[in-house]
């Protein structure tokens, strides 16, 4: 009777199938994800950026890294070795004998199917004389020939072959285990047990434990949890934080402590070089004994940041440490902004403590710009351009030109600009204009509405106000920066206001307001409701698209002479009450503005009626002098009283009688059913 047999692979053939599949499952995905991208494409990208970004520190470091790095070569070598092993195993598998192919005696005897008995006997004699062991032939081959001859001449063997595919009759079903037999051999038991114990009791727990220990130490933005708690403590303690205090809190982050971060280093030469830098920088609150500001790692990081802002020359060893500190700072300042927003929301909802002032959060944003550009707070934004030095600024701020900002420089006539920048040669002037033309010029369009209300343009006390802001980015050379147009931060003259008011009064006197007809009013309400409904649907669709789409955060590379890595151009967008120095809406980090971006900011309207003056503020996280402020006026009305009666709630008397009749019929039917059951 046929049974089942499980056996290990003594020959190792089945194991090769398993090994080939295993190596293929590793090599194929690894090649897709780890194969170095086309280096020529990266070189072409860098070549296209050379005209504008050629003097930037990050650009020079990237060129050096691409020339010196051997990581892509090592990746290619490892992956090619894996493919070589995979192809070798596949070739080995292709040469293995097929153990489970269908048995055919005609093939063994080299005969065509349907050969006669005389042909079978004749072929058997020829092959047996050739392969008989006594004649020097192979015994296994001779046994296969004899078995095939019996299958074709013996009646019982032929029936077994035709029914079961085997002359010997039904056999046991054989299952091969794709592991070599030496694994379960008694002689190798200790070695196999040792390998299993090392893999599953040592290596696996260590890997999982290391990953878990690292994951619980870091937040989702890869900031140490201890650093976030440190920022929260000091922002709670000092709601109104000036720039000097902010730099101290930033450089106290545990990312700069070698005990918490292996990338941070404390060198023996720091005891000599850091005090020397302190003397050159001047007053940096060295004598302050408040921990952790007095710790060596915090003091060193603070000195390196201040030296970076002052554009001081330092030694090569300190310069390497400075690049590490500067590279980490923007992400840490973003975490400080997030912490400030959390404390503001907690103060608004719970109360009991003072939320961080608006100036504190804006100082975090401004310090990010300063670190990216390597400039102190009091310095001119023109120093972001190449070949500009302090002594050149006197030509710009002279009475003839009065150029104090990048926008002023762009708006000059070309002849005046060339005359003002006469200290630059022709090549340097062209480079300055190319860099200036790559700077961003953003236009903001705002739309104020209450989406969930019947009248979206009527803002009532306590309603949720939605401000839809459309940002459009162009290059500064393409943007409209002419001096003739009134900028958003410039107020109109009082005379202009008076003339405008007088014109409005005259117009109102001349034109009488006729009473609108009821039909027109009804039609207007219907069309208004339709528009509001369409706006609400569009807003919902935008939210759904934003959830489903994952836009790239690669926007435009920032021109920065002293920042050590390539940074993308991002922005902060928020609404604030500058009179009360409070946030109205939390800052939204715009990381996907390449050409056009639409952002929705929501905030609750004030609980008291009246006119309110807010500001929509756009701040760059990379450039100085490109921030924009746009006024936002709010007229808050009283909320409408809840209606006691509504047309939808009016039910005709006939419908009420029908419903009562149906209810009574249902009660009578249920009573009849109960009587039947009894």
């Amino acid at each position: 009777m046929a049974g089942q047999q499980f056996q290990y692979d003594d020959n190792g053939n089945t194991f090769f199938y398993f090994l080939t599949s295993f190596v293929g499952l590793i090599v194929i995905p690894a090649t897709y994800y780890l194969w170095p991208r086309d280096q020529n494409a990266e070189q072409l990208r860098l070549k296209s950026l050379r005209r504008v970004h050629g003097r930037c520190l990050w650009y020079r470091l990237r060129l050096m890294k691409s020339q010196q790095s051997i990581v892509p070569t090592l990746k290619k070598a490892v992956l090619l070795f894996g493919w070589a092993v995979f192809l070798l195993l596949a070739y080995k598998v292709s040469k293995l004998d097929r153990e489970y192919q269908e048995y055919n005696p005609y093939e063994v005897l080299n005969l065509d199917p349907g050969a006669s008995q005389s042909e079978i006997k004749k072929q058997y004699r020829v092959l047996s004389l050739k392969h008989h062991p006594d004649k020097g032939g192979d015994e296994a081959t001779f046994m296969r020939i004899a078995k095939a001859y019996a299958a074709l001449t013996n009646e019982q063997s032929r029936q077994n072959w035709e029914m079961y595919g085997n002359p010997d009759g039904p056999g046991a079903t054989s299952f091969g285990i794709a592991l070599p037999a030496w694994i379960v051999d008694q002689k190798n038991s200790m070695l196999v047990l040792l390998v299993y114990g090392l893999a599953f009791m040592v290596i696996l727990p260590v890997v999982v434990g290391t990953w878990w220990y690292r994951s619980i130490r870091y937040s989702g933005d890869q900031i140490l949890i201890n650093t976030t708690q440190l920022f929260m403590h000091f922002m709670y303690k000092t709601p109104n934080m000036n720039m000097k205090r902010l730099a101290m809190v930033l450089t106290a982050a545990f990312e700069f402590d070698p005990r918490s971060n292996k990338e941070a280093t404390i060198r023996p030469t720091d005891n000599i070089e850091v005090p020397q830098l302190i003397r050159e920088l001047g007053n940096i609150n060295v004598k302050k004994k408040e921990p952790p500001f007095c710790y060596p790692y915090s003091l060193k990081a603070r000195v390196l940041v201040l030296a970076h802002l002052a554009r001081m020359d330092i030694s090569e060893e300190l310069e390497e440490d400075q690049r590490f500190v500067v590279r980490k700072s923007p992400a840490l300042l973003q975490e400080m902004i997030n912490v400030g927003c959390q404390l503001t929301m907690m103060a608004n909802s719970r109360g009991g403590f003072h939320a961080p002032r608006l100036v504190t959060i804006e100082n975090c944003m401004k310090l990010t710009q300063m670190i990216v550009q390597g400039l102190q707070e009091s310095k001119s934004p023109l120093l972001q351009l190449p070949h500009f030095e302090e002594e050149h600024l006197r030509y710009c701020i002279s009475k003839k030109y009065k150029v104090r900002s990048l926008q002023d420089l762009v708006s000059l006539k070309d002849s005046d600009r060339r005359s003002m920048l006469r200290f630059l040669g022709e090549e340097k002037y062209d480079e300055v204009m190319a860099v200036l033309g790559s700077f961003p010029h953003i236009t903001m369009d705002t739309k104020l509405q209450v989406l969930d209300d019947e009248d979206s343009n009527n803002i009532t006390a306590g309603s949720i106000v939605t401000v839809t802001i459309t940002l459009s980015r162009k290059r500064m050379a393409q943007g409209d920066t002419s001096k003739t147009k009134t900028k958003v931060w410039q107020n109109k003259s009082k005379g202009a206001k008076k003339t405008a008011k007088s014109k409005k009064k005259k117009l109102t006197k001349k034109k009488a307001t006729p009473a609108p007809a009821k039909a027109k009013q009804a039609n207007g309400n219907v069309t208004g409701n339709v528009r509001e409904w369409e706006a609400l649907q569009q807003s919902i669709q935008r939210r759904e698209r934003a959830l489903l789409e994952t836009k790239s955060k690669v926007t435009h590379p920032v021109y920065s002479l002293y920042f050590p890595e390539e940074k993308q151009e991002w922005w902060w967008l928020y609404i604030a009450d500058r009179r009360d120095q409070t946030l109205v809406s939390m800052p939204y980090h715009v990381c996907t503005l390449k050409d056009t971006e639409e952002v929705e900011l929501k905030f609750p309207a004030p609980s008291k009626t009246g006119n309110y003056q807010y500001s929509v503020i756009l701040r760059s996280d990379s450039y100085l002098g490109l921030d924009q402020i746009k006024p936002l006026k709010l007229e808050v009305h009283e909320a409408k009283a809840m209606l006691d009666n509504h047309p939808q709630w009016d039910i005709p008397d006939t419908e009420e009688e029908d419903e009562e009749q149906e209810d009574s019929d249902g009660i009578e039917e249920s009573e009849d059913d109960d009587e039947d059951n009894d």
Side-chain angles (χ1 to χ4, degrees):
M1 184 177 176
Q4 294 179 347
Q5 291 182 357
F6 294 89
Q7 58 184 5
Y8 284 91
D9 186 11
D10 294 326
N11 299 325
N13 295 344
T14 316
F15 181 65
F16 276 110
Y17 284 100
F18 167 76
L19 196 60
T20 305
S21 304
F22 181 75
V23 173
L25 287 173
I26 294 176
V27 169
I28 295 172
T31 304
Y32 179 78
Y33 288 106
L34 300 179
W35 185 266
R37 298 295 178 252
D38 188 6
Q39 296 297 314
N40 294 328
E42 179 64 15
Q43 292 297 327
L44 289 173
R45 189 183 78 89
L46 291 175
K47 190 175 180 180
S48 66
L49 296 174
R50 183 175 182 179
R51 181 170 177 263
V52 174
H53 299 271
R55 293 186 178 274
C56 295
L57 175 61
W58 69 263
Y59 187 88
R60 291 183 277 116
L61 292 175
R62 179 69 63 83
L63 287 180
M64 292 171 57
K65 185 178 179 181
S66 61
Q67 294 172 0
Q68 299 175 358
S69 177
I70 61 171
V71 174
T73 307
L74 289 176
K75 284 184 178 180
K76 287 183 178 180
V78 171
L79 291 172
L80 289 175
F81 176 75
W83 275 102
V85 172
F86 176 69
L87 294 176
L88 182 64
L89 289 171
Y91 176 77
K92 176 73 175 174
V93 167
S94 67
K95 293 298 181 181
L96 294 176
D97 294 332
R98 297 181 181 177
E99 297 181 358
Y100 303 109
Q101 63 184 0
E102 185 179 356
Y103 180 74
N104 190 346
Y106 289 105
E107 289 184 2
V108 177
L109 296 175
N110 297 326
L111 290 171
D112 294 330
S116 63
Q117 291 290 327
S118 60
E119 290 175 344
I120 293 171
K121 290 179 181 180
K122 182 180 178 180
Q123 183 67 8
Y124 173 68
R125 290 194 204 98
V126 173
L127 293 176
S128 62
L129 289 173
K130 182 180 178 181
H131 296 286
H132 198 281
D134 295 342
K135 302 293 184 179
D138 184 40
E139 184 177 357
T141 305
F142 178 75
M143 293 299 295
R144 287 200 299 272
I145 293 170
K147 184 178 180 180
Y149 176 72
L152 295 176
T153 56
N154 186 278
E155 187 66 27
Q156 183 65 35
S157 298
R158 190 180 185 90
Q159 288 180 2
N160 288 337
W161 172 62
E162 291 176 350
M163 293 178 63
Y164 305 110
N166 190 353
D168 298 330
T173 304
S174 177
F175 295 92
I177 300 175
L179 291 174
W182 60 264
I183 287 183
V184 292
D185 194 349
Q186 186 70 24
K187 298 176 182 178
N188 303 323
S189 59
M190 291 301 296
L191 178 62
V192 172
L193 187 63
L194 181 63
V195 171
Y196 269 81
L198 185 66
F200 293 101
M201 300 181 67
V202 178
I203 297 177
L204 185 62
V206 167
V207 171
V208 174
T210 304
W211 169 81
W212 176 251
Y213 177 70
R214 176 179 173 78
S215 63
I216 62 174
R217 292 175 63 232
Y218 288 86
S219 65
D221 297 325
Q222 294 303 304
I223 304 295
L224 286 168
I225 299 294
N226 291 338
T227 299
T228 304
Q229 294 173 348
L230 177 80
F231 290 165
M232 187 165 288
H233 168 74
F234 283 106
M235 293 194 83
Y236 173 80
K237 183 179 178 181
T238 315
N240 195 358
M241 201 178 294
N242 58 23
M243 196 67 74
K244 185 178 290 187
R245 176 76 173 180
L246 189 63
M248 294 174 66
V249 175
L250 168 67
T251 52
F254 288 96
E255 272 76 2
F256 307 135
D257 188 355
R259 295 172 298 179
S260 302
N261 189 2
K262 293 181 180 179
E263 296 181 63
T265 53
I266 294 292
R267 306 177 189 273
T269 55
D270 292 345
N271 295 328
I272 301 172
E273 294 180 334
V274 172
Q276 184 178 354
L277 280 175
I278 291 173
R279 286 193 294 271
E280 293 179 14
L281 287 168
N283 182 23
I284 61 168
N285 292 337
V286 179
K287 297 181 180 180
K288 197 172 184 66
K289 299 302 180 182
E290 183 182 3
F293 306 136
C294 58
Y295 295 161
Y297 83 88
S298 176
L299 185 60
K300 178 183 177 181
R302 193 189 326 156
V303 168
L304 292 178
V305 167
L306 295 177
H308 169 72
L309 298 180
R311 296 185 175 181
M312 293 173 57
D313 294 328
I314 56 178
S315 65
E316 291 185 2
E317 290 183 347
L318 276 182
E319 188 175 7
E320 184 179 348
D321 297 342
Q322 185 186 58
R323 289 172 185 170
F324 165 72
V325 173
V326 170
R327 192 167 56 247
K328 287 281 186 183
S329 294
L332 292 171
L333 285 165
Q334 177 61 41
E335 184 68 13
M336 291 184 74
I337 294 171
N338 295 339
V339 167
C341 294
Q342 291 174 12
L343 289 173
T344 301
M345 289 188 291
M346 289 170 60
N348 293 339
S349 60
R350 301 180 188 177
F353 63 93
H354 294 291
R357 302 287 289 173
L358 178 63
V359 66
T360 301
I361 295 174
E362 289 184 337
N363 280 341
C364 292
M365 298 176 182
K366 192 168 185 180
L367 184 57
T368 306
Q369 300 171 357
M370 292 161 54
I371 288 176
V372 171
Q373 292 298 330
L375 276 177
Q376 294 174 336
E377 185 179 9
S378 59
K379 299 298 181 181
S380 170
L382 297 173
L383 295 176
Q384 298 173 104
L385 298 171
H387 311 300
F388 269 72
E389 302 295 340
E390 288 281 353
E391 60 267 19
H392 299 147
L393 296 179
R394 58 189 177 90
Y395 299 108
C396 302
I397 61 176
S398 62
K399 293 182 178 179
K400 183 178 180 181
Y401 301 109
K402 297 180 181 179
V403 173
R404 298 181 180 275
S405 66
L406 298 170
Q407 294 87 345
D408 295 338
L409 183 60
V410 172
S411 62
L412 275 180
K413 292 181 180 179
D414 189 59
S415 57
D416 293 341
R417 185 168 50 241
R418 190 68 194 89
S419 175
M420 185 187 72
L421 302 179
R422 58 187 176 275
F423 57 88
L424 297 174
E426 198 65 37
E427 291 184 2
K428 291 183 178 180
Y429 176 79
D430 292 340
E431 184 182 348
V432 167
M433 293 311 299
V435 171
L436 189 62
S438 70
F439 277 34
H441 173 73
I442 309 296
T443 56
M444 281 197 304
D445 294 326
T446 59
K447 183 180 179 182
L448 189 69
Q449 55 187 343
V450 182
L451 290 178
D452 298 333
D453 203 349
E454 293 180 358
D455 186 3
S456 61
N457 297 321
N458 184 27
I459 301 172
T460 57
S463 60
I464 302 299
V465 182
T466 301
V467 182
T468 305
I469 304 163
T470 304
L471 303 174
S472 301
R473 184 201 186 274
K474 295 181 180 179
R475 292 185 300 168
M476 187 168 281
Q478 298 174 343
D480 186 8
T481 55
S482 61
K483 288 186 177 181
T484 56
K485 287 200 173 184
T486 306
K487 296 182 176 63
V488 294
W489 54 84
Q490 292 176 339
N491 295 323
K492 294 181 180 180
S493 61
K494 293 182 180 178
K497 287 184 179 179
K498 288 180 180 179
T499 54
K501 286 182 179 178
S502 61
K503 285 181 181 179
K504 285 182 180 178
K505 287 181 180 178
K506 289 178 181 179
L507 288 172
T508 53
K509 287 180 180 178
K510 288 180 181 179
K511 292 186 179 181
T513 56
K518 292 184 178 180
K520 291 183 179 180
Q521 187 177 2
N523 291 334
N525 291 337
V526 171
T527 55
N529 291 336
V530 170
R531 288 174 185 171
E532 291 163 12
W533 174 254
E534 290 176 354
L536 180 60
Q537 292 299 316
Q538 290 174 2
S539 175
I540 293 172
Q541 290 173 4
R542 280 197 300 269
R543 290 177 210 163
E544 291 177 350
R545 282 198 300 269
L547 290 172
L548 295 174
E549 293 178 4
T550 53
K551 292 185 179 180
S552 172
K553 292 187 176 182
V554 178
T555 55
H556 300 274
V558 173
Y559 183 85
S560 174
L561 290 169
Y562 296 94
F563 198 69
E565 71 177 3
E566 183 178 2
K567 188 182 180 311
Q568 298 300 315
E569 185 184 291
W570 294 343
W571 305 83
W572 287 293
L573 185 64
Y574 58 99
I575 301 172
D577 187 346
R578 301 190 69 80
R579 189 187 66 178
D580 293 341
Q581 282 293 300
T582 55
L583 280 172
V584 177
S585 74
M586 297 302 112
Y588 181 83
H589 206 188
V590 184
C591 304
T592 55
L593 176 58
K594 203 165 187 179
D595 297 311
T596 305
E597 187 77 14
E598 193 174 85
V599 180
E600 286 186 356
L601 299 179
K602 296 179 181 291
F603 62 92
S607 57
K608 295 181 179 180
T609 60
N611 294 324
Y612 294 85
Q613 184 75 31
Y614 293 153
S615 301
V616 180
I617 304 172
L618 179 72
R619 289 191 182 274
S620 172
D621 73 342
S622 307
Y623 293 108
L624 288 162
L626 299 185
D627 302 339
Q628 293 190 32
I629 301 175
K630 194 167 186 178
L632 183 70
K633 293 181 179 179
L634 231 69
E635 186 176 354
V636 181
H637 304 280
E638 286 188 8
K640 293 181 180 179
M642 293 294 294
L643 295 175
D644 295 332
N645 296 317
H646 195 275
Q648 293 179 346
W649 304 340
D650 294 337
I651 302 174
D653 297 337
T654 55
E655 291 184 8
E656 290 183 355
E657 292 174 358
D658 293 341
E659 290 178 0
E660 290 177 0
Q661 183 66 30
E662 289 176 0
D663 294 339
S664 61
D665 293 342
I667 294 170
E668 291 176 359
E669 288 177 2
S670 61
E671 290 177 354
D672 294 340
D673 292 339
D674 293 339
E675 290 177 359
D676 293 340
N677 292 330
D678 293 339

